[in-house]
Amino acid sequence: MSRRTVTAAALVLACFLPVAGCGGDGPRRGPVGPPSARGETAAPAGGSPFWVDPESDAARQVRAYEAGGRAEDAKVLRRIADRPVADWPAGDDPVPEITRAVRGAAAQDRTAVFVAYNIPHRDCGMYSAGGAHDAGAYRAWIDSFAAALGESAAIVVLEPDAVPHLVDGCTPAGYHDERYGLLAEAVDRLKRQPRTRVYLDAGNPAWIDDPGRLVEPLRRAGVARADGFALNVSNFQTTDRVREFGAALSGLLGGAHFAVDTSRNGDGPLPGDRADAWCNPPGRALGVPPTDRTGDGLVDAYLWIKRPGDSDGTCRGGPAAGTWWPEYALGLARRARG
């Protein structure tokens, strides 16, 4: 995701945003936005406890637009730049980026939001292929990731697509036991940090449409020791649909809480049953702004986990997965309803 310090190869979100052929609309696959005309419930008004990165791609783009005389575009893009988005630390060394973020957040008494995305055999070899070289490398990476969080307030969304790809068969069976073990160990390591909350990714209802199929995989991955699960990462399913699915999955998991990615779901998914509906779909909009005031006892937060404006991959004229794409970002922001 071409976040500032992440290389395209390490970028996130391929199948999760993205992989045609990985199931449903493709993994990931669709972010969120403000309440839509479809009657979605808006998050209660009132601020966000999450940190806004002053050096995000969107913030730097705003400054570039202002310097170039594009004042109106700069104003529109502030709908992204002035809101908190998740950080996806690099797969080689996550420490510098995490350290910068937690220090910035601590100075403002805010919570930094991160995505840990480096599991071996990531994304089934698709747009966001890559990840740690082997299990040992992943353990070392997670350990350094967790240590860098220290005692700061943080949320970590753990390994988008990793569990759903086990469920849909995209990840070869020979890797399953290792992945379950690594995810469970990652939960335990991250939870050693006193103020870190961890949410295991569980895909979206257009991908694994039967919540019952996710129950045992999430248990094996350590969800009982996490703070819950995450839904709709990099996808576009409506908030109401995701909440309904999440409530059903929660009931099967003994009342587990969850977080929802609302970064690009303001207008829901691309109409029609299209295999590539998750990949840079046109006409989408920002969703409900990040908040922990969800009005739902099971939903801990609406988060912008997928960074609005980062490409899903080289489809529909987009750059490499995770690369900042200002034109797409402007479209999302212009169509936002709030």
Side-chain angles (χ1 to χ4, degrees), residues 152-242:
S152 299
I155 288 176
V156 178
V157 176
L158 184 59
E159 297 300 341
D161 300 347
V163 170
H165 275 156
L166 294 172
V167 176
D168 72 6
C170 192
T171 298
Y175 299 142
H176 286 203
D177 287 345
E178 175 187 83
R179 177 167 294 183
Y180 281 125
L182 290 176
L183 290 171
E185 291 173 25
V187 169
D188 292 341
R189 177 62 189 90
L190 290 165
K191 289 302 296 177
R192 283 166 50 190
Q193 305 311 124
R195 300 177 66 197
T196 293
R197 287 182 282 163
V198 180
Y199 295 86
L200 267 166
D201 181 65
N204 66 73
W207 184 1
I208 308 295
D209 59 3
D210 176 5
R213 296 177 62 200
L214 289 160
V215 173
E216 188 56 26
L218 285 170
R219 285 175 175 160
R220 289 187 64 184
V223 72
R225 300 185 300 283
D227 293 88
F229 54 92
L231 292 173
N232 207 44
V233 174
S234 300
N235 207 228
F236 304 80
Q237 305 307 307
T238 65
T239 303
D240 283 350
R241 183 182 183 190
V242 174

Side-chain angles (χ1 to χ4, degrees), residues 315-326:
C315 52
R316 296 191 171 91
T323 299
W324 172 248
W325 188 4

Side-chain angles (χ1 to χ4, degrees), residues 2-176:
S2 166
R3 342 179 158 45
R4 294 181 349 259
T5 58
V6 183
T7 63
L11 284 170
V12 221
L13 301 29
C15 211
F16 114 56
L17 287 168
V19 174
C22 281
D25 286 352
R28 221 158 348 305
R29 310 121 186 25
V32 169
S36 73
R38 307 176 181 184
E40 292 186 18
T41 303
S48 164
F50 309 116
W51 179 64
V52 176
D53 184 356
E55 293 301 325
S56 68
D57 287 324
R60 291 187 296 155
Q61 189 70 61
V62 164
R63 294 196 290 269
Y65 282 157
E66 290 174 339
R70 297 175 60 176
E72 184 57 32
D73 286 343
K75 179 180 178 180
V76 169
L77 198 59
R78 283 192 178 280
R79 294 174 181 171
I80 297 175
D82 291 348
R83 287 171 175 158
V85 299
D87 194 6
W88 301 62
D92 51 355
D93 180 8
V95 174
E97 186 62 16
I98 293 174
T99 299
R100 185 187 71 86
V102 296
R103 286 178 177 170
Q108 300 174 15
D109 194 24
R110 300 279 176 169
T111 297
V113 180
F114 299 97
V115 178
Y117 189 64
N118 198 36
I119 201 79
H121 317 296
R122 188 179 65 196
D123 202 29
C124 304
M126 300 302 288
Y127 288 127
S128 297
H133 178 67
D134 56 27
Y138 185 72
R139 292 187 181 101
W141 185 81
I142 278 289
D143 184 62
S144 62
F145 190 117
L149 295 173
E151 298 186 359
S152 299
I155 288 176
V156 178
V157 176
L158 184 59
E159 297 300 341
D161 300 347
V163 170
H165 275 156
L166 294 172
V167 176
D168 72 6
C170 192
T171 298
Y175 299 142
H176 286 203

